[in-house]
């Protein structure tokens, strides 16, 4: 991309992909693979919204999430385009597909953003659409290089802790707050705040755990993640600490009758999720399969939270 600095371009083409990396025979096959790999974004958005609806007392059609999925799809395609330096090490198959289909992926992202904004506007709530647009801007700025003083190129994800705080903020806002705004509904505010905090903590734990998995590629690309700066043990400790702090907050709020006693269920799930990262931190650093196990555990937790809220 023309926005990359000269240093980043040199890094991009100087990194040798890992042995055994494959590239699809046709660009369309590669794009199709990307599309299949991002179906989980739709499932994650639906799961988050479905799980928390009974907790904050507001129900809405899950079709309200179509703009959210389009927004997430576009953001993550651009993320693959601008992450080629680290992906050459962390995910060589996706690196090769991104190199071959860069212009197509950018076009797909652009179309997704236009459709997301258009569908949101068509539902007649400009405030909600503004929230969605802010999520798109933040998501693009997260991975797209921006030229700063001196001509160097910086991405938000290269800034310490910002890499994890951006998705931890965007995900709950788009999957919980946005559809509520779009529907013009009136939730229980304490329960809404609790669901946003719990989701944010879960996303933070997942993001840092993925950083543990991607530590070598991030170090090479100059992405200053928690594990790159402080090590795997400290990163795993940060996961547990974040989850525990939110869990304790939920417990205190429940004890003070600000929220109901059933919130101890999500609190316990958060602590268990953070503890899992601590226990399996070395496996996460050495085996990408464990990152998928972690996502499965997160999905199972959301399913349990959704069922518990409906009892």
């Amino acid at each position: 991309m023309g926005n990359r600095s000269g240093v980043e371009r040199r890094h991009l083409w100087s990194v040798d992909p890992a042995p055994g990396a494959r590239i699809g025979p046709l660009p369309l096959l590669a794009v199709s693979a990307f599309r299949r790999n991002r179906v989980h974004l739709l499932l994650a958005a639906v799961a988050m919204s479905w799980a928390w609806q009974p907790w904050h007392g507001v129900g809405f059609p899950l079709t309200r999430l179509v703009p959210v999925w389009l927004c997430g799809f576009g953001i993550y395609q651009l993320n693959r385009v601008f992450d080629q330096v680290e992906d050459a090490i962390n995910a060589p198959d996706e690196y090769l597909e991104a190199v071959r289909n860069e212009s197509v992926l950018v076009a797909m992202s652009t179309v997704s953003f236009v459709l997301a904004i258009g569908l949101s506007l068509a539902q007649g709530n400009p405030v909600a659409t503004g929230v969605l647009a802010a999520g798109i801007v933040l998501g693009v700025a997260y991975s797209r290089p921006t030229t700063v003083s001196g001509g160097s190129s910086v991405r938000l994800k290269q800034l310490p802790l910002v890499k994890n705080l951006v998705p931890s903020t965007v995900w709950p806002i788009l999957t919980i707050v946005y559809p509520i705004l779009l529907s013009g509904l009136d939730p229980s505010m304490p329960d809404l705040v609790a669901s946003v905090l719990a989701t944010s903590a879960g996303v933070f734990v997942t993001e840092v755990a993925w950083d543990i998995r991607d530590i070598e590629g991030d170090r090479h690309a100059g992405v200053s993640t928690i594990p790159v700066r402080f090590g795997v043990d400290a990163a795993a400790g940060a996961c547990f600490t974040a989850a525990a702090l939110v869990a304790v907050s939920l417990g205190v709020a429940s004890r003070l009758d600000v929220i109901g006693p059933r919130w101890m269920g999500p609190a316990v799930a958060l602590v268990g999720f953070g503890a899992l990262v601590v226990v399996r931190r070395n496996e996460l650093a050495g085996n990408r399969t464990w990152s998928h196990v972690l996502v499965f555990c997160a999905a199972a937790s959301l399913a349990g939270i959704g069922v518990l809220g409906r009892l």
Side-chain angles (χ1 to χ4, degrees), residues 23-236:
I23 185 165
L26 294 173
L28 287 178
L29 290 180
V31 173
S32 177
F34 267 89
R35 192 182 303 112
R36 290 197 305 273
N37 290 337
R38 298 303 179 262
V39 168
H40 71 280
L41 294 175
L42 170 62
L43 300 178
V46 171
M48 286 181 184
S49 291
W50 174 84
W52 293 115
Q53 281 186 12
W55 294 85
H56 52 60
V58 170
F60 49 81
L62 293 178
T63 53
R64 300 279 189 185
L65 296 174
V66 173
V68 173
W69 181 80
L70 287 168
C71 171
F73 179 83
I75 289 172
Y76 277 86
Q77 299 319 305
L78 283 185
N79 197 43
R80 295 273 65 82
V81 170
F82 293 117
D83 276 5
Q84 289 177 15
V85 177
E86 49 265 55
D87 282 351
I89 296 173
N90 295 331
D93 286 355
E94 292 192 11
Y95 158 76
L96 290 171
E97 290 174 350
V99 169
R100 188 169 184 175
N101 297 283
E102 189 170 295
S103 60
V104 178
L105 293 173
V106 172
M108 291 171 66
S109 296
T110 303
V111 170
S112 295
F113 294 149
V114 171
L115 287 175
I117 295 297
L119 288 174
S120 185
L121 284 172
Q123 297 182 69
N125 191 317
V127 174
T129 303
V131 170
L132 184 71
I136 292 174
V137 170
L138 196 57
V140 172
Y142 172 75
S143 60
R144 184 183 185 275
T146 301
T147 302
V148 295
S149 59
S152 60
S153 183
V154 175
R155 295 178 290 171
L156 283 183
K157 68 182 301 179
Q158 290 178 295
L159 304 178
L161 199 59
V162 173
K163 180 182 189 299
N164 307 117
L165 292 180
V166 170
S168 299
T169 302
V170 170
W171 268 101
I173 288 177
L174 291 187
T175 59
I176 299 174
V177 177
Y178 166 76
I180 290 176
L181 287 174
L182 195 64
S183 303
L185 301 173
D186 185 22
S188 164
M189 192 55 62
D191 291 306
L192 175 61
V193 172
S195 61
V196 167
L197 286 176
T199 302
S200 182
V203 173
F204 180 85
V205 171
T206 303
E207 286 285 329
V208 176
W210 285 350
D211 289 342
I212 293 174
R213 175 197 67 184
D214 294 338
I215 185 170
E216 293 304 325
D218 288 341
R219 181 182 288 121
H220 179 87
V223 180
S224 187
T225 63
I226 295 175
V228 167
R229 286 178 64 91
F230 303 107
V232 169
D233 290 348

Side-chain angles (χ1 to χ4, degrees), residues 283-297:
E283 287 88 344
L284 278 167
N287 186 344
R288 294 183 69 84
T289 299
W290 269 99
S291 65
H292 301 303
V293 173
L294 191 71
V295 170
F296 175 80
C297 292

